[in-house]
Amino acid sequence: MKNLDYKNLIEDMPICYARHKLILDAEGNPTDYEYIEINRAFESTLGIEREDIVGKKITEVLPKIKNDSFDWIKFYGEVALSGVSKEIDQYSEQLGSWYKVKVVCPREGEFITYFMDVSEEKSEINQKIDIIMASSDIVFELDESYRVKDVVVKDERSLFISREEMVGQKLEELLLGEELKEKLRNALERAKQSQETESLVYESIMNDGKWYASSIKYLGHKDNPKYILSIHDVTEKRLLEMRLNSEKELLETMLHSIGDAIISVDCEGRVRLMNPVAENLTGWRLDECEGEKLSNVMMLYRIDNEDEELKLEACTKGINKGLKEGLLKSRDGKNYLVDYRISNLHSSSEEGIQGSIIVFRDITAQKKKHREVLYLSYHDQLTGLYNRRHFEEELRRLNNQSNLPLSIINLDVNGLKLVNDAFGHKMGDALICSVSDALRRACRSDDVIARIGGDEFTIILPRTSRKSAEHIISRIYAEIEQEDLESVVVSASAGCGTKDSSEESLAKAIKQAEEAMYRKKIIESKHMRESTLQKIKDKLFSEYSFAEEHSRNVSRYMRLLGRYLGFTDKKLTELDLLGELHDIGLVVVDAEIPNKKRSLNRKEWKDIKRHSETGYQILKSVSHVSRISEYVLSHHERIDGNGYPNKLRGSEIPLESRMLAIVDAYDAMTNIRSYRQVFSKEEAVEELKRNAGTQFDEEILKAFLEILEKEW
């Protein structure tokens, strides 16, 4: 690519570009920066003319820049001093816009910014570069021994010695530096041998920073063979080339560090340049595709129709510079969603448009995130059903004459709190999902199913009579009965209401559905809790080898002790129930722990100790046993306050819990446990006595020991 192509590329690309020089204070801290150059997009986006900013400090251009809440000078200074590139999305209070900025450090003390106004897309591309070249000619006539025969010059003041002094001397004697002398001798010999004009470019021997280009021609006339050496001052041209080469390197650095993909093409649509980001997205390397048609390298298709290819026309007047989206099919078989824009590149001469630039970026992840956010804004994250927001929108949309009769089903999951308290929220979530699965199977494709609360679902049924809605409720119940969730009974209560005519209120139908649901819930929820409790008890007895016999023994001893203490028959029945269910919380403990044939470690004991709290949570949710939940919670408390879970002491512990602690310990010691040996009755009694007054209530223990003596 020509050197100027890179400059044109930067000047014409629709990305703002500016190069700056950092200004430091005496302590080496960034205090300001000066604009070295900017491109057209910078002028257009910020509305600042080039002559009003280049060569000026930022504090002169924006005097209040240091009042901005974001310290731009410090941010840019960190890049210029460290050499580490940075990217940021930041609002400029001075300019009143948001910008996406990338900063790179081309050399120490300088930094380049390229940025886009992400508040409003702007790109105006027009740029011309004026190259001014000046030259002054000196012509030497040399004989075959390279001796100066004549000198022709426009202004003798440009010579380092006078014309008269030069004539008669060998040219190499007038030169300084062996390297230049060697280059000149070689060029003269080549000119004689080839009979062609030879060229030589070199720096001035006067160390004045000037450069010269020499054209050497050998004229082999028989009578007068000679060399004609024409020297041109090419200092400005050479300095321009050096500057352009330096800028080219800077531009290439920027193009390779920019986050967007860039492809430059000529007016025939053939690839001239692409950066690494474009190589990654297209699957082509520049050395493979340079000169290839853009359509072969960047294969773009409509997002909504992958078979329809999008044509990218280069060098079209009035080209659409707006941001568009498409599906990019990579050479390696990958597909990317991209946004892109195409702009024309203008020549520095009068030739006009010399090519186009395509800037594009991968928005696949961005689009996916957008779809996810959009999905979650209308769907329940746990179940995937619609959420309350969508339900309310659908309710407004469907509430019209064409959808009458319009029915509503209100459904509430039974026992969710019991499940959450007893088994944790993970099991509670599983219960919710089981019900939602049943609803999907039972409802029709046009029905709108929404989870509008923790345990509450609502279904909108367009063009559905009340009788049909009740039939759908029957289907829902049938599907829910098919759900199996370990120790939990899956149950829900549902009711419906119907709006039959446009004169009726939809709110009335919703209220009817809620009232019908609550009437059913009074009966069905109680049944679910009782069924779940029975299911938990069955699981406990099946998983723990000792549990069922232990429960029977504890119930029997609790009744005997209660009778001895003068409890009523009603209270004795309660003690029976307490003995039967006191270990119900073990259902959430890994069955392998109590059944192990070794002493339990600290973690295993910690898990075991949870069972009194879990038992409390289960029992308090079931009405007919809720009264014994407090006794279960406290039956491992100690008289001395060193028990668990609440470290109650003495009379703070319920009487029934103190009774249960003694009975439970005695039966546990005298029956088989996998992790220890069985105590004899006498040994168990001695153990109880040793812990009287610390672990066990002394008065209740005395009564229990008297009962045991009578049994023996």
Side-chain angles (χ1 to χ4, degrees):
M1 178 183 281
K2 296 178 182 179
N3 290 340
L4 290 181
D5 287 347
Y6 288 94
K7 183 67 177 178
N8 291 339
L9 180 61
I10 292 305
E11 290 297 331
D12 290 322
M13 64 188 287
I15 298 175
C16 298
Y17 162 86
R19 185 152 61 97
H20 320 75
K21 179 181 178 182
L22 188 64
I23 299 174
L24 306 176
D25 61 16
E27 297 178 355
N29 297 316
T31 185
D32 211 332
Y33 57 85
E34 179 183 330
Y35 283 89
I36 298 174
E37 62 179 355
I38 64 174
N39 71 348
R40 188 173 304 273
F42 185 103
E43 291 181 291
S44 175
T45 301
L46 273 67
I48 301 176
E49 296 295 330
R50 190 182 305 262
E51 56 268 21
D52 294 333
I53 190 169
V54 172
K56 293 186 178 181
K57 300 175 184 177
I58 184 61
T59 52
E60 295 173 331
V61 179
L62 297 174
K64 296 182 179 180
I65 185 68
K66 293 187 177 181
N67 296 337
D68 203 305
S69 58
F70 181 76
D71 193 337
W72 292 97
I73 297 174
K74 179 182 177 183
F75 176 71
Y76 291 144
E78 290 173 352
V79 176
L81 294 176
S82 69
V84 179
S85 301
K86 289 189 177 184
E87 287 188 56
I88 191 173
D89 286 354
Q90 182 61 44
Y91 181 74
S92 170
E93 295 169 11
Q94 301 300 307
L95 299 174
S97 295
W98 278 92
Y99 297 95
K100 184 178 186 69
V101 186
K102 181 162 185 177
V103 195
V104 298
C105 175
R107 58 170 64 97
E108 186 176 358
E110 292 189 8
F111 63 93
I112 292 174
T113 58
Y114 48 94
F115 57 92
M116 297 175 61
D117 184 338
V118 293
S119 303
E120 181 181 357
E121 288 287 335
K122 290 183 179 180
S123 64
E124 185 66 35
I125 305 174
N126 281 308
Q127 180 68 24
K128 291 183 178 180
I129 300 176
D130 295 327
I131 302 174
I132 303 174
M133 298 184 63
S135 65
S136 58
D137 295 340
I138 305 172
V139 180
F140 289 89
E141 181 181 341
L142 309 177
D143 62 18
E144 286 198 298
S145 62
Y146 311 147
R147 196 176 298 277
V148 178
K149 296 175 66 177
D150 195 8
V151 180
V152 179
V153 61
K154 292 180 179 177
D155 185 354
E156 288 197 17
R157 289 175 297 178
S158 65
L159 299 176
F160 57 91
I161 61 175
S162 69
R163 176 179 176 280
E164 289 75 15
E165 290 177 289
M166 287 185 179
V167 174
Q169 294 195 51
K170 284 192 173 183
L171 184 62
E172 61 182 16
E173 294 174 354
L174 301 174
L175 302 178
L176 299 176
E178 291 301 320
E179 183 179 354
L180 178 57
K181 292 178 181 180
E182 182 67 22
K183 286 182 178 179
L184 181 58
R185 280 194 297 268
N186 293 336
L188 290 166
E189 290 174 5
R190 288 196 305 272
K192 184 176 181 179
Q193 292 173 2
S194 67
Q195 298 295 306
E196 300 288 341
T197 301
E198 289 291 327
S199 297
L200 178 66
V201 178
Y202 56 92
E203 193 172 5
S204 170
I205 61 177
M206 303 302 294
N207 293 321
D208 55 4
K210 291 193 172 185
W211 285 80
Y212 296 94
S214 296
S215 297
I216 304 170
K217 180 69 176 176
Y218 177 71
L219 302 176
H221 300 300
K222 184 176 181 180
D223 298 329
N224 186 25
K226 58 184 175 181
Y227 295 90
I228 302 299
L229 176 62
S230 176
I231 300 176
H232 310 279
D233 184 346
V234 293
T235 303
E236 292 188 26
K237 179 180 179 182
R238 180 64 176 172
L239 292 177
L240 178 59
E241 288 176 351
M242 293 170 66
R243 183 172 67 83
L244 290 176
N245 285 334
S246 176
E247 289 179 353
K248 176 183 175 182
E249 292 178 2
L250 291 175
L251 298 178
E252 286 181 331
T253 299
M254 192 203 75
L255 290 174
H256 282 68
S257 61
I258 195 170
D260 288 346
I262 296 177
I263 296 178
S264 174
V265 297
D266 60 23
C267 283
E268 294 181 358
R270 297 188 182 279
V271 175
R272 297 190 302 179
L273 173 71
M274 66 194 311
N275 68 353
V277 182
E279 290 181 331
N280 289 336
L281 290 180
T282 62
W284 289 82
R285 297 195 312 270
L286 179 59
D287 59 4
E288 295 175 318
C289 67
E290 189 170 5
E292 283 281 341
K293 281 286 190 180
L294 177 63
S295 57
N296 297 333
V297 175
M298 188 175 179
M299 294 182 289
L300 269 178
Y301 297 82
R302 288 176 59 93
I303 294 177
D304 56 357
N305 183 3
E306 293 187 22
D307 295 326
E308 185 177 340
E309 189 171 357
L310 295 172
K311 300 295 184 182
L312 298 177
E313 301 292 342
C315 302
T316 303
K317 291 185 178 180
I319 196 168
N320 188 347
K321 302 169 187 175
L323 198 63
K324 298 181 179 180
E325 294 181 355
L327 176 67
L328 176 64
K329 295 187 178 182
S330 175
R331 184 188 188 189
D332 56 15
K334 296 178 182 178
N335 289 346
Y336 301 95
L337 294 176
V338 298
D339 61 20
Y340 66 95
R341 55 190 175 275
I342 181 168
S343 305
N344 288 333
L345 293 172
H346 296 273
S347 172
S348 59
S349 66
E350 298 179 356
E351 297 173 5
I353 298 172
Q354 67 169 4
S356 295
I357 178 173
I358 303 94
V359 181
F360 57 104
R361 61 189 172 116
D362 180 11
I363 59 170
T364 306
Q366 176 185 328
K367 283 289 186 179
K368 181 181 178 184
K369 186 68 177 177
H370 176 73
R371 288 194 299 268
E372 289 173 353
V373 171
L374 186 62
Y375 179 87
L376 290 176
S377 67
Y378 288 101
H379 289 79
D380 174 54
Q381 190 170 2
L382 176 63
T383 64
L385 297 176
Y386 291 120
N387 58 15
R388 177 180 286 276
R389 176 185 177 185
H390 184 74
F391 162 74
E392 291 174 349
E393 290 182 4
E394 287 296 278
L395 204 60
R396 288 191 292 270
R397 184 179 69 85
L398 295 171
N399 186 21
N400 55 58
Q401 184 70 34
S402 63
N403 289 306
L404 297 178
L406 182 62
S407 291
I408 303 292
I409 293 177
N410 240 30
L411 181 141
D412 201 84
V413 179
N414 293 323
L416 179 61
K417 187 176 187 305
L418 165 62
V419 174
N420 282 334
D421 291 343
F423 303 105
H425 287 273
K426 187 175 181 180
M427 182 62 79
D429 289 346
L431 174 59
I432 292 292
C433 290
S434 290
V435 173
S436 67
D437 290 343
L439 292 177
R440 285 189 181 93
R441 295 195 300 269
C443 293
R444 305 162 303 186
S445 59
D446 291 342
D447 299 334
V448 179
I449 313 169
R451 182 186 178 209
I452 62 172
D455 57 1
E456 189 176 358
F457 297 82
T458 300
I459 307 166
I460 307 174
L461 304 131
R463 298 175 297 280
T464 305
S465 66
R466 184 182 187 87
K467 183 176 180 181
S468 296
E470 289 173 346
H471 178 68
I472 291 173
I473 289 177
S474 298
R475 286 212 309 264
I476 291 171
Y477 278 13
E479 291 294 342
I480 287 176
E481 286 181 8
Q482 302 302 313
E483 293 292 322
D484 183 20
L485 198 61
E486 299 180 14
S487 302
V488 176
V489 175
V490 182
S491 169
S493 299
C496 66
T498 303
K499 175 182 176 178
D500 290 304
S501 66
S502 56
E503 290 78 21
E504 294 180 6
S505 167
L506 182 57
K508 181 180 178 181
I510 294 173
K511 186 177 180 180
Q512 288 173 350
E514 289 177 347
E515 290 174 348
M517 180 269 289
Y518 284 122
R519 285 195 298 270
K520 290 185 181 179
K521 192 171 181 67
I522 292 171
I523 301 170
E524 294 171 353
S525 180
K526 179 182 178 183
H527 175 71
M528 177 270 176
R529 295 170 189 273
E530 293 174 354
S531 299
T532 296
L533 180 61
Q534 184 61 47
K535 202 169 182 180
I536 293 171
K537 189 170 70 171
D538 292 343
K539 181 182 179 183
L540 176 69
F541 291 166
S542 67
E543 289 187 352
Y544 297 97
S545 56
F546 60 84
E548 186 169 8
E549 182 181 358
H550 177 63
S551 294
R552 283 198 304 268
N553 292 341
V554 173
S555 291
R556 184 172 67 84
Y557 283 130
M558 288 294 286
R559 175 173 279 275
L560 290 173
L561 184 56
R563 185 178 290 119
Y564 185 91
L565 295 176
F567 284 16
T568 64
D569 288 343
K570 182 178 179 181
K571 192 66 176 179
L572 292 178
T573 301
E574 186 177 284
L575 294 179
D576 270 341
L577 197 59
L578 177 58
E580 180 185 2
L581 299 176
H582 74 282
D583 276 338
I584 196 73
L586 284 174
V587 73
V588 298
V589 179
D590 186 348
E592 291 184 1
I593 294 177
N595 291 325
K596 282 187 175 180
K597 296 181 179 180
R598 60 166 173 78
S599 298
L600 304 182
N601 60 36
R602 182 177 298 180
K603 182 181 182 304
E604 290 167 342
W605 270 119
K606 186 177 180 180
D607 289 342
I608 288 286
K609 287 181 178 181
R610 289 172 44 219
H611 83 279
S612 59
E613 293 176 270
T614 303
Y616 165 77
Q617 298 290 358
I618 293 173
L619 296 174
K620 77 171 184 176
S621 300
V622 183
S623 58
H624 76 285
V625 294
S626 61
R627 61 188 180 279
I628 68 170
S629 60
E630 290 286 348
Y631 311 150
V632 170
L633 177 65
S634 303
H635 80 280
H636 283 291
E637 301 286 358
R638 292 169 54 105
I639 297 301
D640 60 8
N642 291 321
Y644 63 87
N646 296 316
K647 295 191 177 298
L648 303 179
R649 65 169 59 239
S651 59
E652 294 175 343
I653 307 168
L655 173 62
E656 293 83 353
S657 300
R658 284 178 275 156
M659 294 167 61
L660 180 58
I662 296 170
V663 171
D664 183 33
Y666 175 77
D667 188 72
M669 287 188 286
T670 56
N671 285 281
I672 296 174
R673 292 290 187 273
S674 58
Y675 52 87
R676 59 160 172 76
Q677 292 181 342
V678 178
F679 283 52
S680 67
K681 293 180 180 179
E682 292 78 9
E683 291 171 335
V685 168
E686 288 303 315
E687 185 68 20
L688 291 175
K689 288 179 179 178
R690 272 195 295 273
N691 290 282
T694 55
Q695 183 175 355
F696 305 118
D697 185 297
E698 291 180 290
E699 294 301 320
I700 298 174
L701 178 59
K702 185 187 296 185
F704 182 63
L705 294 180
E706 290 179 7
I707 292 170
L708 291 180
E709 286 180 8
K710 290 180 181 179
E711 276 205 334
W712 294 352

